[in-house]
């Protein structure tokens, strides 16, 4: 175990800080390799028992430290420095040197392209200066930024610009002040040259807010959608939650080098340019959607995250789960609620369930953390949002709003816990949520088993529900939870009324009885995906068909459809069957007939369940058989309905591109048609024409994806053309790289090698790394899971190299390799071999170490 790999921190060990910092003045003298940071803090002792002040620091050169003006010696600790026997109240001045240009971990202060920028969440501020780098220390910030005037015409930090001027040697400076006390993880600084888009927003109470969006030179025309999204988000939060923006200026900066999606720094959001830039030619409908949702997410953090923040990092879901829930509500209002929800369900089933059954399983409020960056997880974010959604379901729209009002007014300006949030919900609604709190402390995916009987003579429908959460890597014992199980009962015949209800499952086993069910009912369980659970219910194809046809809940209809198709795929896989069950064929015939009436929903229904979704339905999977069966069904459906796919595809062509709901839905369905068409002989011409005549990236990418999935020779031809057209455009080239990396074919490892020696590849750019290695590891199932283990070895070789550059990104990419429990013994063994190689590596980062050690 190397020095990187320290022990885990425990939630149970939380201690309030011994000191507070009321104000801090920061001065940055920006230079590529040697930036001088001067920090002057006003420090107060709050716990008289704590005599020494310990400050966090990482990769800093300490130039000097003064207490009330007197230079003072410090002792080094594992985490940073210790100042012994400090006064009760004092001014602390610290000078440090840092090296932004060689900071490829992209935490703290670094350079992205030509611009200086920062990323401080979770613990990046300690790479800027020695400080109490924890969210429950909140200070008022004044920040002076000094840089070369030509290289960095824009000098930005949080809050309001209060002064600026010229300095010697062609330099200039700006002074910013943020009136709201904040934790250091919300600190931000940007200095560089940009194009700027400007707009204004008038708040509900009539205040004018300046909106500024900074993008790379030449990208102004791609910024409008982001700016429009911001205004929509600001209006929505006022209308939905009564929450108004609080500063006079709101800035967003797009940078190309960024570890995550975006960051909600107070008044100065920093974004991965992928979630800012869009125009019809270069961005897909999905990109437009993502931009709107991430812009909203970061904006919503201003209240849920910034004004009310987290006491400690175990509480991360307090702000992330809640803010994801809020951005999901917003997206549902902006686009199609049903489709938005279906895609969230996919994320849960494909990624969160996998995490929750693997070695990194953790509750949405983790109890133990080694490296915090590893907990910006689908569990904390997406399951966290599902937990908030269940509260919303249990309390109702109005009850939830009352709880939010209570939470915000009670805790404005504080750093609080998940318990404080639930308490506010309880108090505002006079409800007992003690059982519900289990969702915060228990990991794993509950399975609800259903036993269902309808008695024609008594007209009663009886449902026996049993909940059981299988043990997880982090927790052997599980308790029953409070689970809202939404159900819909529809008559199998389609004649007569259906019924919808939310059942409150609170015990391990519970019986529910419905009276006056006069005709044979089909039951849809977990409508709207009312809880992050699995349902074990043997329904019949006939009943599933009734749900698809007659249920009012679109998620339930889609779900029943997916279940029917999944069952067929498993049947094919198990029997190695040449014959395919009839029901998917009948189903598809019906869906294709109605496709025009609800294009978006039917597109989702026609899409076969992904490999990952299928994998989550079994304890053990046979990778090859499953891939083969899925492929077999796809080809069969493609050929059986080739005329229909073709006809529909032609009917769906749109006029000129616009990101507008109706068009988006038609394009989605047309993309699905193309994916089937590509499996048929007669498709080459259609694909070629579609590529040639496309006026937008959505349609273009649909063609390329269809060719890629079917390994058509046309793929290489079109990809060459595509590269020629877009080689100078980083975001579009990410798509090009991803298409190549995701292609499942015998030579895929040599393809990867070629991609990584491509002139546009760089291990320093996370977007590029993700588009190649991320796509390979997560989505190139055939290539990654090659029987001989060469896919695992390939990823491991790369991780060893990447870990030294950017551990955060390396630790994300290892995910598919630690979730191996469902694989056959041969593959498991090959994976463990590679994990051992990592484990034995001397200078493995804490990020990778935590995951590898758990996986072994
Ligand atoms: N708070 C950001 C968001 O969800 C995520 C930043 C996480 N960054 C990190 N390095 N872990 O909006
Ligand atoms: Zn967030």
């Amino acid at each position: 175990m190397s020095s990187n790999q320290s022990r885990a921190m425990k939630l149970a060990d939380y201690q309030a800080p011994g000191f507070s910092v009321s104000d801090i003045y920061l001065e940055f003298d920006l230079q590529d390799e040697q930036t001088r940071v001067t920090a002057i803090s006003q420090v107060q002792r709050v716990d008289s028992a704590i005599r020494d002040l310990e400050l966090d620091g990482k990769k800093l050169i300490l130039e000097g430290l003064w207490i009330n003006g007197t230079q003072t010696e410090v002792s080094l600790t594992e985490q940073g420095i210790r100042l012994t026997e400090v006064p009760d109240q004092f001014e602390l001045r610290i000078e440090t040197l840092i090296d932004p240009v060689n900071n490829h971990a992209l935490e703290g202060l670094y350079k992205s392209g030509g611009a200086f920028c920062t990323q401080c969440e979770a613990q990046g501020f300690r790479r800027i200066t020695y400080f109490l780098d924890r969210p429950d220390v909140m200070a008022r910030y004044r920040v002076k930024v000094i840089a070369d005037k030509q290289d960095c015409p824009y000098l930005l930090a949080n809050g309001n610009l209060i002064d600026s001027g010229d300095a010697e040697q062609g330099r200039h400076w700006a002074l910013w002040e943020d009136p709201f006390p904040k934790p250091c993880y919300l600190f931000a600084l940007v200095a560089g040259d940009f194009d700027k888009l400007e707009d204004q927003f008038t708040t509900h109470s009539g205040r004018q807010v300046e909106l500024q969006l900074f993008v790379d030179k030449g990208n102004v025309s791609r910024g409008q959608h982001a700016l429009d999204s911001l205004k929509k988000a600001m209006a929505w939060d006022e209308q939905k939650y009564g929450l108004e923006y609080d500063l006079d200026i709101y800035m967003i900066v797009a940078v190309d080098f960024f570890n995550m999606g975006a960051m909600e720094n107070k008044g100065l959001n920093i974004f991965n340019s992928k979630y800012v830039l869009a125009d019809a030619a270069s961005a897909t409908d999905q990109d437009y959607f993502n931009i709107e949702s991430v812009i909203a997410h970061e904006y919503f953090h201003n209240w849920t995250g910034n004004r009310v923040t987290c006491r400690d990092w175990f509480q991360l879901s307090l702000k992330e789960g809640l803010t994801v829930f809020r951005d999901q509500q917003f997206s549902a209002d902006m686009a199609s609620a049903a489709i938005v929800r279906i895609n969230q369900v996919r994320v849960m089933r494909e990624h969160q369930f996998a995490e929750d059954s693997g070695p990194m399983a953790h509750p949405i409020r983790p109890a133990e953390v080694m490296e915090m960056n590893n907990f910006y997880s689908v569990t904390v974010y997406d399951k966290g949002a599902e937990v908030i959604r269940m509260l919303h379901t249990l309390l109702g729209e109005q009850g939830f709003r009352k709880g939010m009002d209570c939470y915000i007014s009670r805790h404005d300006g504080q750093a609080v816990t998940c318990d404080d949030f639930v308490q506010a919900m309880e108090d505002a609604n006079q409800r007992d949520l003690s059982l519900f709190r289990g969702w915060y402390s228990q990991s794993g995916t509950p399975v609800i088993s259903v036993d269902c009987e309808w008695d024609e003579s008594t007209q009663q429908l009886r449902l026996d529900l049993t909940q059981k959460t299988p043990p997880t890597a982090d927790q052997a014992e599980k308790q029953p939870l409070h689970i809202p199980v939404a159900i819909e009962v529809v008559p199998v015949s389609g004649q007569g009324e259906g019924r919808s209800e939310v059942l409150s499952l609170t015990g391990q086993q519970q019986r529910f009885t419905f009276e006056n069910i006069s005709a044979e009912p089909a039951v849809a369980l977990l409508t709207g995906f009312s809880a992050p659970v699995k349902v074990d219910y043997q329904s019949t194809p006939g009943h599933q068909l009734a749900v698809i046809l007659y249920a009012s809940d679109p998620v339930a209809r889609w779900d029943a459809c997916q279940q029917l198709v999944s069952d067929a795929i498993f049947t094919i896989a198990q029997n190695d069957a040449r014959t395919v069950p009839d029901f998917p064929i009948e189903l598809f015939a019906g869906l294709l007939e109605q496709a025009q009436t609800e294009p978006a929903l039917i597109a989702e229904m026609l899409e076969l369940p992904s490999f990952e979704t299928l994998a989550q339905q079994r304890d053990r999977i046979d990778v090859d058989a499953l891939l083969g069966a899925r492929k077999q069904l796809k080809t069969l459906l493609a050929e059986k309905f080739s005329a229909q796919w073709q006809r529909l595809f032609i009917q769906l062509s749109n006029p000129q591109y616009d990101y507008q709901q109706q068009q988006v839905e038609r394009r989605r369905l047309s993309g699905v048609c193309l994916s089937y068409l590509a499996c048929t002989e007669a498709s080459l011409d259609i694909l070629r024409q579609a590529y040639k005549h496309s006026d937008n990236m959505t349609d273009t990418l649909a063609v390329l994806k269809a060719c890629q999935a079917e390994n058509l020779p046309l793929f290489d031809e079109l990809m060459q053309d595509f590269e020629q057209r877009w080689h100078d455009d980083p975001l579009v080239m990410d798509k090009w790289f991803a298409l190549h990396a995701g292609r499942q074919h015998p030579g895929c490892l040599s393809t990867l090698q070629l991609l990584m020696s491509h002139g546009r590849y760089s291990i320093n750019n996370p977007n590029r790394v993700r588009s190649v290695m991320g796509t390979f590891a997560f989505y190139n199932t055939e290539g990654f899971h090659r029987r001989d283990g060469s896919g695992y070895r390939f990823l491991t070789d790369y991780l060893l190299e990447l870990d030294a550059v950017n551990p955060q990104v390396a630790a994300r990419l290892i995910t598919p390799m630690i979730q191996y429990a469902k694989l056959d013994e041969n593959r498991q063994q090959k994976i463990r071999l590679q994990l051992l190689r990592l484990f034995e590596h001397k200078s493995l980062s804490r990020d990778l170490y935590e995951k590898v050690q758990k996986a072994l």
Side-chain angles (χ1 to χ4, degrees):
M1 186 157 139
S2 85
S3 59
N4 275 338
Q5 296 139 15
S6 53
R7 287 163 294 111
M9 297 278 294
K10 290 190 167 68
L11 165 60
D13 295 342
Y14 172 82
Q15 280 191 321
F19 296 85
S20 66
V21 178
S22 56
D23 294 271
I24 178 167
Y25 168 78
L26 286 164
E27 191 173 298
F28 290 82
D29 199 356
L30 292 171
Q31 307 277 2
D32 276 359
E33 291 179 337
Q34 210 172 68
T35 287
R36 179 173 296 271
V37 182
T38 306
I40 303 174
S41 303
Q42 307 305 322
V43 185
Q44 305 85 34
R45 176 177 278 112
V46 286
D47 181 346
S48 58
I50 300 182
R51 305 312 305 164
D52 299 351
L53 174 60
E54 289 196 43
L55 299 175
D56 307 294
K58 198 169 173 179
K59 302 214 159 167
L60 300 171
I61 297 175
L62 180 59
E63 287 273 286
L65 184 147
W66 294 262
I67 290 180
N68 289 330
T70 309
Q71 188 147 17
T72 309
E73 288 301 307
V74 303
S75 41
L76 295 179
T77 65
E78 221 174 286
Q79 295 278 333
I81 54 173
R82 174 183 295 117
L83 313 177
T84 29
E85 280 297 333
V86 295
D88 281 347
Q89 193 157 349
F90 61 100
E91 182 179 282
L92 175 65
R93 177 190 174 99
I94 303 176
E95 282 184 29
T96 47
L97 289 178
I98 52 180
D99 180 357
V101 95
N102 290 304
N103 177 356
H104 299 298
L106 313 186
E107 289 182 275
L109 178 71
Y110 65 95
K111 277 197 102 173
S112 171
F116 293 91
C117 64
T118 54
Q119 171 58 39
C120 294
E121 187 178 5
Q123 297 171 328
F125 193 74
R126 63 186 61 185
R127 292 165 179 261
I128 290 174
T129 186
Y130 291 99
F131 198 65
L132 289 163
D133 190 357
R134 46 187 291 172
D136 55 359
V137 172
M138 298 167 78
R140 265 180 304 268
Y141 283 66
R142 265 191 323 133
V143 180
K144 185 173 182 181
V145 188
I146 311 162
D148 186 88
K149 202 170 178 171
Q150 205 145 40
D151 295 345
C152 301
Y154 290 102
L155 306 174
L156 315 175
N158 317 86
N160 304 309
L161 178 67
I162 52 173
D163 202 359
S164 63
D166 284 331
E168 285 165 15
Q169 292 172 321
R171 295 171 73 76
H172 68 151
W173 58 272
L175 182 64
W176 292 81
E177 186 175 63
D178 181 356
F180 296 97
K182 63 170 176 285
C184 63
Y185 83 87
L186 290 172
F187 163 79
L189 168 163
V190 172
D193 195 5
F194 301 96
D195 275 346
K196 179 161 75 162
L197 282 85
E198 283 182 284
D199 208 331
Q200 259 143 33
F201 181 82
T202 310
T203 68
H204 185 68
S205 67
R207 278 189 314 103
Q208 279 266 322
V209 181
E210 297 300 318
L211 312 179
Q212 302 185 345
L213 177 69
F214 297 87
V215 298
D216 272 1
K217 291 243 153 205
N219 275 327
V220 168
S221 62
R222 290 190 185 177
Q224 199 53 50
H225 175 63
L227 212 45
D228 292 343
S229 301
L230 175 60
K231 286 185 285 180
K232 286 183 192 161
M234 294 177 89
W236 186 90
D237 217 14
E238 292 184 345
Q239 186 260 322
K240 185 85 171 179
Y241 287 104
L243 297 173
E244 241 183 78
Y245 187 60
D246 51 8
L247 285 165
D248 302 330
I249 179 169
Y250 193 91
M251 297 173 283
I252 295 176
V253 183
V255 300
D256 286 340
F257 288 61
F258 204 74
N259 280 344
M260 311 272 290
M263 181 62 212
E264 69 266 22
N265 317 300
K266 184 79 186 189
L268 176 56
N269 289 181
I270 299 179
F271 270 63
N272 188 324
S273 55
K274 173 183 159 80
Y275 294 115
V276 174
L277 302 174
D279 60 16
S282 68
T284 61
D285 291 333
Q286 188 64 51
D287 292 326
Y288 275 86
F289 176 90
N290 292 344
I291 289 167
E292 188 176 80
S293 114
V294 179
I295 293 267
H297 178 98
E298 306 310 332
Y299 175 71
F300 297 155
H301 267 316
N302 190 56
W303 281 96
T304 52
N306 301 4
R307 289 286 290 256
V308 182
T309 196
C310 301
R311 186 193 72 172
D312 56 77
W313 289 121
F314 299 100
Q315 319 293 331
L316 180 60
S317 203
L318 172 75
K319 73 177 178 79
E320 295 304 346
L322 178 55
T323 305
V324 171
F325 174 69
R326 276 153 49 68
D327 84 52
Q328 291 178 352
Q329 284 190 308
F330 169 74
S331 293
D333 284 354
M334 297 297 121
S336 148
I339 304 307
V340 169
R341 188 65 189 136
I342 284 170
N343 283 315
Q344 287 146 15
V345 177
R346 285 204 176 103
V347 170
M348 288 300 293
R349 290 194 179 140
E350 292 179 9
H351 301 286
Q352 202 281 323
F353 286 4
E355 179 163 87
D356 232 348
S357 61
M360 278 295 289
H362 54 273
I364 64 166
R365 182 187 55 213
E368 248 190 75
V369 166
M370 191 180 283
E371 170 51 57
M372 191 52 213
N373 285 323
N374 284 340
F375 291 81
Y376 287 74
S377 61
V378 272
T379 299
V380 167
Y381 276 64
D382 297 274
K383 186 178 179 182
E386 295 301 324
V387 171
I388 303 293
R389 182 180 297 270
M390 288 190 284
L391 279 173
H392 183 272
T393 303
L394 292 170
L395 301 173
E397 174 82 10
Q398 282 184 359
F400 186 80
R401 171 65 197 266
K402 274 199 277 175
M404 278 293 288
D405 290 350
C406 173
Y407 169 67
I408 297 281
S409 63
R410 191 183 274 181
H411 297 298
D412 186 13
Q414 299 175 2
V416 301
T417 64
C418 296
D419 272 330
D420 292 322
F421 180 80
V422 180
Q423 193 64 50
M425 288 285 155
E426 274 187 334
D427 293 350
N429 291 282
Q430 272 112 40
R431 279 278 279 272
D432 178 7
L433 295 168
S434 36
L435 186 60
F436 187 85
R437 286 172 195 255
W439 283 105
Y440 284 88
S441 53
Q442 184 162 294
S443 57
T445 308
V447 180
I448 300 181
S449 313
V450 185
D451 187 55
C452 172
E453 200 176 25
W454 173 63
D455 186 336
E456 188 168 7
S457 61
T458 59
Q459 305 201 342
Q460 275 185 339
L461 173 68
R462 171 188 59 74
L463 281 174
D464 283 323
L465 303 187
T466 311
Q467 61 163 308
K468 189 170 174 7
T469 305
T472 50
D474 63 324
Q475 253 174 10
E477 301 292 325
K478 303 291 180 184
Q479 303 302 319
L481 295 166
H482 185 173
I483 308 178
V485 183
I487 76 161
E488 189 173 343
V489 180
V490 296
V492 172
S493 65
Q495 308 293 307
E497 286 286 287
R499 223 192 269 182
S500 299
E501 226 168 283
V502 180
L503 311 176
S504 235
L505 179 60
T506 50
Q508 202 225 321
Q509 191 163 28
Q510 226 166 311
R511 171 164 295 185
F512 300 90
T513 314
F514 296 78
E515 307 288 342
N516 301 321
I517 306 285
S518 54
E520 184 188 351
V523 181
L525 278 140
L526 210 69
T527 52
F529 196 66
S530 63
V533 302
K534 293 184 185 179
V535 175
D536 180 10
Y537 174 45
Q538 295 320 109
S539 184
T540 63
H543 280 203
Q544 281 167 327
L545 203 61
V547 171
I548 296 171
L549 292 173
Y550 311 124
S552 63
D553 175 43
V555 178
R557 294 176 57 202
W558 165 78
D559 214 3
C561 189
Q562 294 276 298
Q563 206 47 60
L564 260 177
V565 176
S566 300
D567 291 345
I569 293 175
F570 281 112
T571 307
I572 303 170
Q574 266 150 30
N575 307 340
D576 208 9
R578 295 275 145 259
T579 54
V580 172
D582 285 338
F583 43 85
I585 297 174
E586 288 162 24
L587 173 65
F588 268 55
L591 291 175
L592 277 163
E593 244 164 63
Q594 292 177 32
Q596 295 269 32
T597 58
E598 323 172 83
L601 184 60
I602 291 201
E604 300 310 329
M605 291 168 123
L606 292 169
E607 182 92 76
L608 297 187
S610 68
F611 175 83
E612 293 74 21
T613 295
L614 292 166
Q616 280 314 309
Q617 300 175 30
R618 295 289 187 275
D619 292 333
R620 278 278 160 149
I621 50 160
D622 178 340
V623 176
D624 315 87
L626 211 49
L627 283 174
R630 189 178 181 279
K631 173 97 211 166
Q632 195 184 329
L633 182 60
K634 176 124 196 214
T635 312
L636 181 102
L637 292 168
E639 280 165 359
K640 192 107 199 160
F641 299 110
S642 65
Q644 283 93 325
W645 295 121
Q646 213 174 111
R647 200 174 333 120
L648 190 53
F649 176 73
I650 291 165
Q651 288 166 351
L652 286 168
S653 70
N654 274 313
Q656 214 197 0
Y657 180 92
D658 187 13
Y659 180 67
Q660 171 262 339
Q661 199 50 34
Q662 224 182 348
Q663 276 200 17
V664 170
E665 300 191 356
R666 290 167 64 90
R667 272 191 294 273
R668 171 82 178 106
L669 182 55
S670 121
V672 173
C673 291
L674 263 192
S675 79
Y676 281 98
L677 280 171
C679 307
T680 64
E681 300 276 305
S683 66
L684 276 190
D685 218 42
I686 299 175
L687 290 163
R688 206 188 289 277
Q689 291 303 316
Y691 180 83
K692 196 169 148 198
H693 293 123
S694 165
D695 72 336
N696 66 82
M697 186 53 82
T698 310
D699 288 337
T700 302
L701 220 62
V703 178
L704 294 173
K705 271 193 191 141
C707 295
Q708 183 240 45
E710 300 314 318
N711 257 312
L712 305 181
L714 182 60
F715 178 67
D716 286 309
E717 184 190 318
L718 298 183
M719 285 289 276
Q720 265 174 35
D721 177 82
F722 190 81
E723 184 188 10
Q724 229 153 49
R725 163 137 193 233
W726 293 107
H727 61 267
D728 275 335
D729 192 296
L731 292 178
V732 180
M733 281 306 281
D734 284 334
K735 300 183 194 303
W736 181 88
F737 275 99
L739 280 162
H740 271 306
R743 181 169 167 213
Q744 321 207 20
H745 68 124
C748 80
L749 296 184
S750 352
T751 304
L752 291 181
Q753 209 88 60
L754 274 177
L755 292 175
M756 291 192 304
S757 52
H758 190 285
R760 307 264 166 187
Y761 190 82
S762 163
I763 197 172
N764 294 326
N765 183 333
N767 285 358
R768 200 47 48 91
V769 171
R770 280 186 286 255
S771 57
V772 175
M773 288 309 280
T775 304
F776 169 67
F778 280 88
Y779 300 111
N780 193 329
T781 312
E782 197 182 300
F784 181 60
H785 291 292
R786 284 158 72 106
R787 242 187 246 266
D788 62 2
S790 53
Y792 309 137
R793 182 164 9 96
F794 195 91
L795 177 66
T796 305
D797 288 344
Y798 194 74
L799 289 180
L800 284 168
E801 197 183 333
L802 179 61
D803 191 44
V805 178
N806 190 330
Q808 232 184 89
V809 174
R812 293 237 151 206
L813 292 186
I814 203 178
T815 305
M817 203 160 69
I818 60 174
Q819 297 171 350
Y820 59 73
K822 288 174 190 288
L823 299 172
D824 53 86
E825 196 40 53
N826 166 54
R827 286 187 170 95
Q828 291 204 25
Q829 214 175 343
K830 299 234 145 78
I831 286 182
R832 277 195 297 265
L833 207 69
Q834 298 306 320
L835 292 175
L836 266 175
R837 273 181 72 204
L838 289 167
F839 191 69
E840 278 157 13
H841 186 74
K842 269 167 278 314
S843 50
L844 203 66
S845 67
R846 192 160 56 159
D847 312 53
L848 269 188
Y849 178 82
E850 178 172 36
K851 292 193 170 182
V852 170
Q853 168 240 330
K854 284 185 177 161
L856 284 168

